[in-house]
Amino acid sequence: MPLSPLDIHNKEFSRRLRGYDEDEVNEFLDQIIKDYEAIIRENKDLQAHVAASQDKLGHFASIEETLSKTIIVAQEAADELRGNAKKEAQLIVKEAEKNADRIINDALAKSRKVALEVEELKKQAAIYRARFRALIETQMELLTHDSWDSLENREPKGIEA
């Protein structure tokens, strides 16, 4: 067991003839007691400082662990968010492609319908033109027919000249 300042203070030496000067020994012991007490105080202060530093170190280690976990969680959340955004973008692209295909198909169908209507109108116009030409030719034939000449030369009934 280590000596305490009280042990040093209470230490008594046996006396002999021609021994050391008792006052010098006591002064030296007093100085040793003061230095020893200072060293003990300093040791206690250092131990308290070490304990406080260890507490801080433990606290910082805890913070570091928490930050590390937080970074991992944040990274996982970012990865998940990135993955979800990518999936959503793919869905949007697929939906847009579907809509584009639908719009193109609708436009093609309308285009075909309009083309058929144009063809039908062309046919009807050709038929109308042919009928109109036939009508005009018939009328021209009537006009150039000899019976008109006889009508022109005839006098109207009931009118006297």
Side-chain angles (χ1 to χ4, degrees):
M1 182 153 118
L3 290 174
S4 69
L6 191 58
D7 291 336
I8 295 171
H9 181 63
N10 290 334
K11 178 65 177 168
E12 298 242 351
F13 296 96
S14 55
R15 294 200 170 111
R16 291 197 183 176
L17 190 60
R18 293 178 137 225
Y20 292 108
D21 182 4
E22 196 175 322
D23 289 334
E24 270 186 56
V25 170
N26 285 336
E27 281 179 30
F28 185 71
L29 288 176
D30 287 341
Q31 184 62 41
I32 290 174
I33 290 170
K34 285 180 191 173
D35 291 346
Y36 197 63
E37 284 176 341
I39 289 174
I40 289 174
R41 262 187 260 118
E42 183 180 351
N43 191 19
K44 283 184 181 180
D45 289 345
L46 289 174
Q47 285 177 349
H49 183 69
V50 166
S53 294
Q54 285 177 336
D55 287 345
K56 284 182 183 178
L57 183 63
H59 177 69
F60 289 134
S62 173
I63 289 174
E64 179 185 19
E65 183 180 343
T66 302
L67 287 175
S68 179
K69 288 179 181 177
T70 303
I71 288 171
I72 290 170
V73 168
Q75 189 173 8
E76 287 172 353
D79 290 344
E80 183 179 342
L81 187 61
R82 191 176 310 125
N84 288 341
K86 191 173 183 178
K87 286 178 185 176
E88 188 173 341
Q90 288 172 343
L91 288 174
I92 289 171
V93 167
K94 284 182 182 178
E95 188 66 29
E97 287 172 350
K98 280 183 187 176
N99 285 340
D101 287 343
R102 182 185 49 79
I103 290 169
I104 289 170
N105 289 335
D106 288 349
L108 286 173
K110 286 179 183 177
S111 171
R112 287 185 194 118
K113 184 179 178 183
V114 166
L116 290 174
E117 288 175 0
V118 165
E119 287 301 316
E120 183 62 29
L121 287 173
K122 283 181 182 179
K123 286 178 187 176
Q124 287 178 3
I127 291 169
Y128 174 76
R129 188 172 168 205
R131 285 182 181 169
F132 191 62
R133 183 179 297 170
L135 177 66
I136 289 175
E137 286 174 358
T138 304
Q139 294 300 318
M140 286 298 287
E141 225 177 86
L142 285 174
L143 286 175
T144 58
H145 201 313
D146 290 337
S147 62
W148 277 103
D149 289 336
S150 65
L151 285 175
E152 285 178 4
N153 292 333
R154 232 199 266 173
E155 286 204 24
K157 291 183 189 179
I159 301 179
E160 291 181 30

